[in-house]
């Protein structure tokens, strides 16, 4: 990286995680290049998330990861994320100037997605789209949602016709079993 920075007069480096060590390596470049600006992108929570094995990590190892996370947030010139919740959590736990933390929403192709009206559910219903990977722990949340919808359905039999869930994922469709309480579940490759 150092050679590329010198050869191409790079003034700003963007690093995205996971893997989160890429964020560590990026901010440490500032030791060798003090004028270098580093922007780190937290696509997912690092030490507080349910993905990537951190929830079952030994306390000592987790303390090391939290120390690295703190180093990254403190040294980076900007901390970006598509999630305000991630940024709020980082600011609460680590601190920092509010201006340092910037939400950059996920982009999408309007021609592919269609106008907002296409997201209206059946009748007066709701259409929910899940885009991404079904990480460890997410399936349990989907199961919880299915149980809640089942409970609602028992009280009002019109609910299944008012809810449509669409999954855009390359995951095995067998992982997605949430179909008891909604009109349909669609699996498609991104």
């Amino acid at each position: 990286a150092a050679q590329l920075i010198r050869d191409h007069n790079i003034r700003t480096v963007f690093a995205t995680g996971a893997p989160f060590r890429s964020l560590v390596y990026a901010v440490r470049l500032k030791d060798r290049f003090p004028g270098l600006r580093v922007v780190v992108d937290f696509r997912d929570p690092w030490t507080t998330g349910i993905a990537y094995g951190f929830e079952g990590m030994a306390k000592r190892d987790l303390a090391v990861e939290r120390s690295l996370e703190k180093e990254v947030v403190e040294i980076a010139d900007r901390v970006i994320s598509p999630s305000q919740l991630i940024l709020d959590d980082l600011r609460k736990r680590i601190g920092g100037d509010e201006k340092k933390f910037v939400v950059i929403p996920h982009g999408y192709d309007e021609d592919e997605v269609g106008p907002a009206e296409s997201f209206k559910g059946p009748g007066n219903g709701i259409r929910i789209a899940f885009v991404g990977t079904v990480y460890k722990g997410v399936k349990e949340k989907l199961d919880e949602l299915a149980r809640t919808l089942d409970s609602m359905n028992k009280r009002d039999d019109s609910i299944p016709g008012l809810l449509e869930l669409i999954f855009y994922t390359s995951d095995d469709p067998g992982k997605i079993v949430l179909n008891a309480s909604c009109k349909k579940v669609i699996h498609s490759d991104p």
Side-chain angles (χ1 to χ4, degrees), residues 50-135:
I50 58 174
Y52 311 114
F54 289 101
E55 75 281 358
M57 188 175 280
K59 287 183 181 182
R60 190 178 90 212
D61 295 337
L62 186 57
V64 169
E65 293 294 327
R66 286 193 173 134
S67 176
L68 292 172
E69 181 182 50
K70 184 176 191 289
E71 175 186 349
V72 164
V73 171
E74 289 176 344
I75 295 173
D77 295 287
R78 287 283 186 273
V79 178
I80 64 174
S81 177
S83 168
Q84 185 66 54
L85 293 174
I86 291 174
L87 296 178
D88 290 346
D89 174 64
L90 291 169
R91 282 194 62 232
K92 180 180 176 186
R93 289 185 302 108
I94 298 169
D97 183 355
E98 185 177 340
K99 294 176 186 170
K100 181 180 201 170
F101 298 85
V102 179
V103 172
I104 299 181
H106 287 295
Y108 64 94
D109 184 339
E110 289 184 10
D111 292 333
E112 186 175 317
V113 174
E117 292 80 36
S118 68
F119 287 98
K120 292 179 181 170
N124 291 325
I126 300 169
R127 177 176 289 157
I128 300 172
F130 177 94
V131 181
T133 301
V134 180
Y135 288 114

Side-chain angles (χ1 to χ4, degrees), residues 137-185:
V138 171
K139 184 183 179 309
E140 289 77 13
K141 297 296 183 189
L142 293 174
D143 290 343
E144 184 179 326
L145 176 58
R147 285 190 300 276
T148 300
L149 294 172
D150 282 337
S151 173
M152 292 169 60
N153 185 38
K154 288 176 183 168
R155 289 180 292 206
D156 182 349
D157 63 3
S158 67
I159 289 175
L162 296 177
L163 179 63
E164 182 176 22
L165 299 177
I166 303 171
F167 287 81
Y168 294 98
T169 180
S170 58
D171 287 326
D172 175 3
K175 283 185 176 179
I176 304 167
V177 295
L178 184 64
N179 59 5
S181 297
C182 60
K183 185 175 179 192
K184 63 182 171 179
V185 175

